[in-house]
Amino acid sequence: MRICILSRNPVLYSTQRLKQAAEDRGHKVNIVDYLRCYVDITARSPKVMYAGKALSRFDAIIPRVASSGESAYGAAIVRQFEMIGSYSLNASQAIVRSGDKLRSLQLLSRKNVDLPKTGFAHATLGKDDVIKLVGGTPLVIKLLQGSQGAGVVLAPTTKAAEAVISAFQQLHANFLVQEFISEAEGHDVRAFVVGGKVVAAMERSAPPGDFRSNLHRGGTAVKVRLTKQEREVAK
């Protein structure tokens, strides 16, 4: 197969590891910076352009699109590859949804997956209203856009929550407010689902003094085996 890895950083370990694994199985792999791609939207002949030339058709693409301001453009490039018939490991719609905390929670709620009490607010909503909505403090406040623990604040008291909300309001930012699950004690579990089956799972732990378990924030991770109930939730 001819495979294209869409990545901003071709020397990133995870990108190189994917390339190596694919080549070890006999596939031909190219790494392309999706921000340097542009599209030719033409009826019956859509193209993905790069450095003045149309990219050859790939059998499959592996998107490595960042969850940031680049995600919308990256998803558009993935969508163009889908239009020309390339199979995408992560569909463009999935990339857009995963980069939107609110949409992700709404989809989980639709499937009756248990969630922390969550409120969504714009700058105009009163502080007291949104704090009461999730049962009071302590609570977690999250900017709607962001990843790797950025823009996530734990407010232990009402005054602290009001101060953070005021700061976000001054930025005219949309944000989520969630109840704080204290019994988690800085731990969470991530499951990897392929074809409707859990193939691996890890438990992440926050570093001392932090509640965020993100590895980019100094968290650690170990392989774990999920219970039957946890596997059913993940699927």
Side-chain angles (χ1 to χ4, degrees):
M1 291 177 63
R2 296 190 69 251
I3 298 174
C4 176
I5 300 176
L6 297 175
S7 175
R8 292 281 289 124
N9 187 352
V11 299
L12 195 67
Y13 171 78
S14 56
T15 298
Q16 284 296 316
R17 188 67 187 86
L18 286 168
K19 182 175 185 290
Q20 180 185 342
E23 289 178 340
D24 288 346
R25 289 160 176 79
H27 303 300
K28 185 177 180 180
V29 181
N30 292 84
I31 301 174
V32 174
D33 181 350
Y34 56 86
L35 286 190
R36 296 183 64 188
C37 293
Y38 52 105
V39 301
D40 178 358
I41 304 173
T42 305
R44 293 179 292 278
S45 184
K47 299 180 182 66
V48 178
M49 308 295 294
Y50 186 88
K53 297 181 180 179
L55 288 173
S56 301
R57 184 182 180 278
F58 292 98
D59 299 301
I61 60 171
I62 302 176
R64 303 281 293 162
V65 176
S67 297
S68 64
E70 304 169 1
S71 60
Y73 190 84
I77 297 300
V78 172
R79 194 176 301 117
Q80 188 75 0
F81 274 107
E82 292 170 339
M83 288 176 61
I84 63 179
S86 298
Y87 172 81
S88 180
L89 180 63
N90 302 110
S92 55
Q93 186 180 48
I95 293 171
V96 171
R97 287 175 171 177
S98 66
D100 185 332
K101 292 186 178 72
L102 175 62
R103 182 61 176 150
S104 297
L105 290 170
Q106 288 173 327
L107 290 170
L108 291 172
S109 176
R110 178 188 292 175
K111 295 296 183 179
N112 297 318
V113 176
D114 290 333
L115 300 167
K117 293 179 182 177
T118 303
F120 170 60
H122 189 263
T124 56
L125 188 64
K127 304 180 190 67
D128 293 339
D129 294 332
V130 72
I131 292 172
K132 290 177 182 177
L133 190 65
V134 299
T137 56
L139 53 79
V140 177
I141 305 171
K142 301 179 180 180
L143 286 174
L144 199 57
Q145 301 296 329
S147 63
Q148 301 173 356
V152 179
V153 181
L154 173 61
T157 66
T158 300
K159 285 189 176 181
E162 290 175 346
V164 174
I165 291 172
S166 292
F168 285 171
Q169 287 178 334
Q170 290 180 23
L171 294 172
H172 302 288
N174 295 324
F175 54 89
L176 296 174
V177 178
Q178 288 185 317
E179 72 172 308
F180 177 59
I181 309 299
S182 58
E183 58 265 32
E185 297 182 336
H187 300 275
D188 65 29
V189 174
R190 292 293 176 98
F192 299 86
V193 181
V194 178
K197 181 180 179 181
V198 177
V199 297
M202 66 177 179
E203 180 179 312
R204 305 187 309 173
S205 301
D210 201 344
F211 73 101
R212 297 168 296 181
S213 59
N214 304 80
L215 300 185
H216 290 79
R217 299 281 167 181
T220 57
V222 295
K223 182 179 178 180
V224 294
R225 187 176 182 84
L226 300 186
T227 65
K228 182 179 179 179
Q229 181 182 7
E230 289 170 334
R231 289 196 300 273
E232 289 301 315
V233 172
K235 290 190 293 183

